[in-house]
Amino acid sequence: MSKKVTGKAFDAKIFKRLMGFAKNYRWQFFVGTLSAILLSLVSVAKPILLQEIVNNYFENKDKDGLLYFSLLMCGFLLAEVFLQFIFIYKVNWLGQHIIKDIRVKLQKHMLQFKMAYFDQSSVGKLVTRLVSDTETIAQFFGGGLFMIISDFLKMFVVALVMLWMNWKLALIAFIILPILVYATKVFQIAIKSAFQDVRSQVANLNGFVQERVTGMNIVQLFNREKIEYENFVKINEKHKKAHVRTVWYYSIFFPIAEILSSIAVGLLVWFGGLDVVNNGGTNAGEIIAFIMMSQMLFRPLRQIADKFNTLQMGMVAGDRVFEILDTESQIAKTGNVEATHFAGDIKFKKVHFSYIKGEEVLKGISFNVKAGETVAIVGATGAGKSTIINLVNRFYEIDSGEICIDNHNIEQYTLPSLRKEIAVVLQDVFLFSDSIYNNIVLSNNEITLEEVKKAAKEIGIHDFIMSLPNNYLYNVKERGVMLSSGQRQLIAFLRAYVSKPSVLILDEATSSIDSYSEKLIQKATDKITKHQTSIIIAHRLTTVKKADKIIVMDQGGIVEQGSHLELLKKDGYYKNLYNMQFANEIA
């Protein structure tokens, strides 16, 4: 976390925000609170009844009275069990429903973030916020807040009953309270810092494991198993130390609390016993009742310290979740024009863009793509080709200039409708752990399986899919590991094809596939790009040569534009690129 530990054991601002999520569940909140109140009243009946039994029925050997009060005590015990069930069920039900709402809100918020946010954020840490931290917030309600309310009510009622029964014995018991309260306060402040460190180390550990598991092929390819193992040991050691620190605080506080409560019991027995011996107003039943009530007074206080830590952990987790919810990293949704279907006229007008402020990637580029035209963009790695695709889809916001589609600035279109009309096939294809069919339609119920099969036949990949187990229902597993890179490209191309886009963008979609897959994609490319605006970033000569226009980029600027033959006539950048890369290709 970026925020430092303030030393406060309770953060009212975070508490208020967390409580705001309980507004939708007022009835459950009321039932949980009412059951806590009733529990505090029922629990104090046991020592009162026990005092009555000892003083009036043990000494008088009244069997009927003893049976009556014993049954009455059993009745109160059953009532306490029932109320305890209602209390535990309701508060945990409330906690789970609230974290469901928080997760939904957090996920919805994260889905709207700019790509720049994810470029700079650890996947593991974001997963920790969405899963682990929100689960900790559930404990804020289920194991923290209501438990504290219940314990405080119980302590308050017990204290009143003790004063009512024998104020002298009550004051003897209360002598220990200030010391225990002070110890609890110090413990709470210390443990909050420890818990913040624990959550931070959990996020670091999750982030490290997530990255290494995802990039395991790189780890093994470059023989980094030992190095990554040693790095993991270091991170895990920090994680262990953070937890041991919390254990240290617990191991100090609870023995102190136990000793103090034992001292209180000893004082009660000593003072009460002397009063009985001296024929004072105290009796044996009161001493027994006060011993029980002193435990009912001190035990919740010890538990409150523990439950308060659960409350603090929930607030620490809440602070981390709110940090993301408060992050403003969304693309500005100022557009109100609904894009239904683009003719496909695209214009870049003096567009400047930088991923990192002060380091321009695009340096005032301008070009036109006419409706129905196929434009190829070529250039060295890092020239800014892929950036153009990111900007057309508004994954990032430009620094200055203007991007227009059909004579409308793309900022005027609503973001969902803009992206719906643009299909992109990336070089690095991402497939979800799901069936081929679901990876193609992406949960779009408007696209049927029959439509997908028809499209697959049109671009020539139906036979390939039918050769797989379960055909279109074949599960490709995480990131599509069950398919080759070429097969993943074919699935991605079919995904773009069935969406029937107004604008098609291919980002080096044939750069990492075999010649057979390239022929299939080339066939589909010729079909889908016919009479449709297309932007193709590619190194393969076949695609580049057929383009209506070729834009040559270098170091964030456009150095040449023209058709393949026009550019070859110039003794420029494209011709040199052609001679180096494409001279051996056969048209």
Side-chain angles (χ1 to χ4, degrees):
M1 287 180 59
S2 59
K3 297 179 181 179
K4 295 182 180 179
V5 179
T6 61
K8 294 191 300 180
F10 185 82
D11 195 320
K13 184 178 179 181
I14 298 173
F15 177 81
K16 184 178 179 181
R17 291 189 68 177
L18 286 172
M19 289 303 298
F21 286 93
K23 291 180 179 178
N24 295 329
Y25 307 100
R26 290 184 177 89
W27 172 246
Q28 285 76 14
F29 191 92
F30 170 76
V31 172
T33 304
L34 180 62
S35 60
I37 294 172
L38 294 176
L39 265 174
S40 65
L41 297 175
V42 170
S43 61
V44 81
K46 291 182 294 182
I48 295 176
L49 291 173
L50 185 60
Q51 178 193 9
E52 186 71 15
I53 291 172
V54 171
N55 288 339
N56 298 321
Y57 300 101
F58 277 4
E59 294 180 2
N60 298 330
K61 298 181 180 180
D62 186 345
K63 296 181 179 179
D64 293 335
L66 183 62
L67 177 62
Y68 172 76
F69 274 91
S70 296
L71 291 175
L72 189 61
M73 183 177 287
C74 288
F76 275 102
L77 285 172
L78 290 174
E80 186 177 8
V81 169
F82 176 74
L83 289 171
Q84 193 75 26
F85 163 74
I86 296 296
F87 174 73
I88 293 174
Y89 177 77
K90 281 297 179 184
V91 298
N92 283 282
W93 183 97
L94 181 66
Q96 290 301 318
H97 279 71
I98 287 174
I99 65 165
K100 179 207 70 174
D101 295 344
I102 292 176
R103 278 182 179 145
V104 169
K105 185 175 182 179
L106 182 61
Q107 174 73 352
K108 182 179 180 181
H109 189 68
M110 289 170 57
L111 285 172
Q112 307 302 319
F113 281 163
K114 302 175 184 177
M115 287 297 107
Y117 180 86
F118 298 103
D119 293 342
Q120 300 169 9
S121 302
S122 165
V123 174
K125 290 183 179 180
L126 292 177
V127 171
T128 300
R129 301 293 183 272
L130 190 60
V131 180
S132 179
D133 283 337
T134 51
E135 192 62 44
T136 305
I137 292 174
Q139 293 302 313
F140 167 89
F141 292 95
L145 176 64
F146 282 97
M147 291 296 181
I148 290 174
I149 292 174
S150 177
D151 288 343
F152 268 125
L153 285 172
K154 190 177 295 183
M155 290 173 61
F156 178 72
V157 172
V158 167
L160 288 180
V161 172
M162 291 174 76
L163 288 169
W164 170 69
M165 290 176 61
N166 189 324
W167 66 270
K168 292 180 181 179
L169 285 180
L171 292 179
I172 292 296
F174 295 165
I175 289 174
I176 303 299
L177 275 178
I179 304 174
L180 189 54
V181 168
Y182 176 75
T184 302
K185 180 71 174 178
V186 173
F187 174 66
Q188 289 166 352
I189 294 174
I191 205 70
K192 181 179 182 180
S193 171
F195 278 139
Q196 284 180 312
D197 191 23
V198 167
R199 299 309 305 166
S200 178
Q201 294 304 326
V202 167
N204 290 338
L205 188 62
N206 285 348
F208 182 89
V209 173
Q210 171 85 22
E211 289 181 350
R212 271 58 186 185
V213 171
T214 303
M216 187 58 70
N217 59 334
I218 300 298
V219 172
Q220 296 183 355
L221 184 63
F222 288 91
N223 196 30
R224 288 184 57 86
E225 291 92 338
K226 183 179 179 181
I227 296 173
E228 296 302 340
Y229 168 75
E230 292 172 351
N231 290 335
F232 177 80
V233 169
K234 293 176 182 177
I235 294 176
N236 199 36
E237 178 69 18
K238 292 180 180 179
H239 181 263
K240 181 206 71 177
K241 288 181 178 179
H243 274 284
V244 169
R245 186 177 163 204
T246 65
V247 173
W248 168 253
Y249 290 134
Y250 276 109
S251 63
I252 293 175
F253 172 74
F254 282 104
I256 291 175
E258 192 65 35
I259 289 172
L260 290 174
S261 61
S262 298
I263 291 173
V265 171
L267 289 173
L268 285 172
V269 173
W270 173 72
F271 184 85
L274 285 178
D275 201 39
V276 170
V277 171
N278 294 327
N279 296 318
T282 306
N283 53 59
E286 276 186 329
I287 295 175
I288 294 173
F290 264 77
I291 290 174
M292 285 186 65
M293 286 190 290
S294 68
Q295 293 302 309
M296 294 172 65
L297 185 67
F298 292 118
R299 187 180 298 112
L301 189 58
R302 296 198 301 270
Q303 291 176 347
I304 281 174
D306 194 27
K307 297 301 184 290
F308 208 100
N309 296 330
T310 302
L311 191 73
Q312 288 176 326
M313 286 180 68
M315 287 192 290
V316 169
D319 192 16
R320 296 159 71 91
V321 169
F322 292 144
E323 187 179 354
I324 296 180
L325 286 174
D326 294 339
T327 299
E328 295 297 332
S329 184
Q330 290 85 3
I331 297 291
K333 298 180 181 179
T334 56
N336 54 18
V337 177
E338 198 73 21
T340 54
H341 182 77
F342 291 138
D345 188 70
I346 302 174
K347 294 181 181 179
F348 271 61
K349 301 178 181 178
K350 298 181 179 179
V351 174
H352 290 262
F353 173 76
S354 54
Y355 292 102
I356 302 173
K357 189 175 181 180
E359 299 180 15
E360 276 196 335
V361 177
L362 298 183
K363 303 173 182 178
I365 66 170
S366 299
F367 65 87
N368 296 338
V369 179
K370 296 179 181 178
E373 191 174 48
T374 297
V375 172
I377 302 176
V378 300
T381 301
K385 306 185 298 298
S386 296
T387 299
I388 290 176
I389 294 171
N390 291 331
L391 299 183
V392 171
N393 283 279
R394 292 199 70 197
F395 290 147
Y396 299 85
E397 292 182 296
I398 61 177
D399 299 336
S400 63
E402 190 176 16
I403 303 174
C404 297
I405 299 180
D406 291 354
N407 297 319
H408 282 285
N409 191 310
I410 59 173
E411 296 179 4
Q412 296 178 309
Y413 292 109
T414 60
L415 202 56
S417 67
L418 171 70
R419 291 176 177 170
K420 185 178 180 182
E421 293 301 316
I422 302 173
V424 181
V425 179
L426 299 172
Q427 179 181 6
D428 184 17
V429 177
F430 185 94
L431 297 180
F432 296 96
S433 180
D434 207 333
S435 67
I436 287 179
Y437 170 70
N438 286 334
N439 269 289
I440 292 168
V441 301
L442 297 177
S443 300
N444 185 349
N445 296 326
E446 296 179 0
I447 305 175
T448 66
L449 179 58
E450 291 305 315
E451 289 178 303
V452 172
K453 289 181 178 180
K454 181 181 178 183
K457 291 175 182 177
E458 289 176 358
I459 65 174
I461 69 171
H462 175 73
D463 292 340
F464 141 64
I465 297 176
M466 293 302 293
S467 68
L468 298 171
N470 295 325
N471 314 132
Y472 286 84
L473 300 181
Y474 179 64
N475 193 315
V476 300
K477 303 301 181 183
E478 188 174 0
R479 299 184 66 89
V481 295
M482 302 304 291
L483 301 178
S484 68
S485 59
Q487 290 171 333
R488 291 195 295 269
Q489 286 287 1
L490 292 171
I491 298 302
F493 199 92
L494 182 56
R495 176 196 289 170
Y497 184 56
V498 298
S499 67
K500 299 177 182 177
S502 301
V503 177
L504 175 67
I505 299 176
L506 304 179
D507 184 5
E508 300 188 12
T510 61
S511 64
S512 59
I513 62 176
D514 56 83
S515 57
Y516 174 72
S517 298
E518 183 189 1
K519 288 179 181 179
L520 292 178
I521 287 184
Q522 188 59 54
K523 175 185 175 183
T525 301
D526 293 340
K527 183 177 183 63
I528 196 173
T529 57
K530 190 175 183 180
H531 308 304
Q532 179 173 320
T533 304
S534 304
I535 299 176
I536 301 173
I537 295 175
H539 290 304
R540 299 295 181 100
L541 177 62
T542 306
T543 305
V544 172
K545 287 177 65 175
K546 291 182 179 181
D548 298 308
K549 183 196 299 183
I550 299 172
I551 297 174
V552 185
M553 295 189 66
D554 184 40
Q555 297 181 5
I558 296 175
V559 293
E560 290 179 318
Q561 294 188 58
S563 68
H564 173 68
L565 294 177
E566 289 172 348
L567 293 175
L568 283 182
K569 292 177 181 179
K570 301 178 181 179
D571 190 15
Y573 190 100
Y574 180 78
K575 186 175 181 179
N576 291 333
L577 192 66
Y578 175 80
N579 290 334
M580 286 188 295
Q581 298 184 22
F582 306 143
N584 296 324
E585 294 276 0
I586 299 175

